[in-house]
Amino acid sequence: MSVQIVKDYFKNKNISKEIIEFSSSSATVDLAAQAAGVEPARIAKTLSFYTKERDTAILIVTAGDTKIDNSKFKHFFSMKAKMLSPEDVETYTGHAVGGVCPFGNPSSVTTYLDVSLKRFSTVFPAAGSANSAVEVTCEELEKFAEAADWIDVCKTPSV
């Protein structure tokens, strides 16, 4: 139950943010936006990728209305973007598909935040399960996720 991992992580880090547990699924951007009552762009989706060595994962938290720009990804990481297989997601991150989040991951996992999130005063990343989220500011997200850096690896959303 990886929502418990996030609750324990928050407790151990003295983070006093309420984890919202929805009665319905929030496993996709659209479902999460509907459950939270916000526009899909404010859902902070966490995408998981293999490292070059394929021995751990890179997490990139992006705005819900963006997609990875393969050229920008390759330029920044010096490798082609290869998402974790559904079978590897929980093994590498500790969270199941639909609940992958930037909190409580193994120390070998590196988390990056995409600048697409900075448009919003608060965003809603998952909190370890397919029906949970937490509302945070971008500054809180950076701190709580212990993010390595803010990066620009997404396609700009079309208006």
Side-chain angles (χ1 to χ4, degrees):
M1 189 159 144
S2 69
V3 72
Q4 190 60 49
I5 291 171
V6 176
K7 288 178 180 180
D8 292 344
Y9 177 81
F10 279 15
K11 183 178 179 182
N12 292 337
K13 299 283 184 181
N14 293 316
I15 298 169
S16 59
K17 279 290 185 177
E18 179 187 356
I19 293 175
I20 306 160
E21 294 188 73
F22 304 111
S23 58
S24 59
S25 175
S26 59
T28 67
V29 168
D30 289 336
L31 290 173
Q34 185 177 13
V38 298
E39 64 180 298
R42 286 187 55 206
I43 300 304
K45 63 183 175 182
T46 304
L47 304 174
S48 50
F49 298 89
Y50 291 103
T51 59
K52 278 184 185 178
E53 298 78 21
R54 296 179 64 98
D55 60 346
T56 189
I58 296 167
L59 300 181
I60 302 175
V61 186
T62 74
D65 62 347
T66 64
K67 293 183 191 261
I68 293 293
D69 181 312
N70 289 322
S71 175
K72 287 181 178 181
F73 185 101
K74 188 171 185 176
H75 178 75
F76 187 82
F77 290 106
S78 301
M79 66 179 190
K80 195 173 185 178
K82 174 76 172 141
M83 291 191 79
L84 294 182
S85 69
E87 298 78 32
D88 283 343
V89 169
E90 192 164 4
T91 301
Y92 281 67
T93 70
H95 304 296
V97 172
V100 176
C101 68
F103 315 115
N105 293 289
S107 60
S108 59
V109 173
T110 304
T111 302
Y112 295 90
L113 306 177
D114 189 77
V115 296
S116 60
L117 294 166
K118 289 189 173 186
R119 305 177 269 162
F120 306 106
S121 57
T122 62
V123 293
F124 293 80
S129 70
N131 68 323
S132 65
V134 59
E135 183 176 12
V136 293
T137 65
C138 288
E139 294 79 18
E140 289 172 330
L141 179 60
E142 180 178 14
K143 180 180 176 185
F144 300 164
E146 299 178 346
D149 206 354
W150 285 94
I151 60 175
D152 180 6
V153 294
C154 287
K155 295 177 184 174
T156 305
S158 39
V159 179

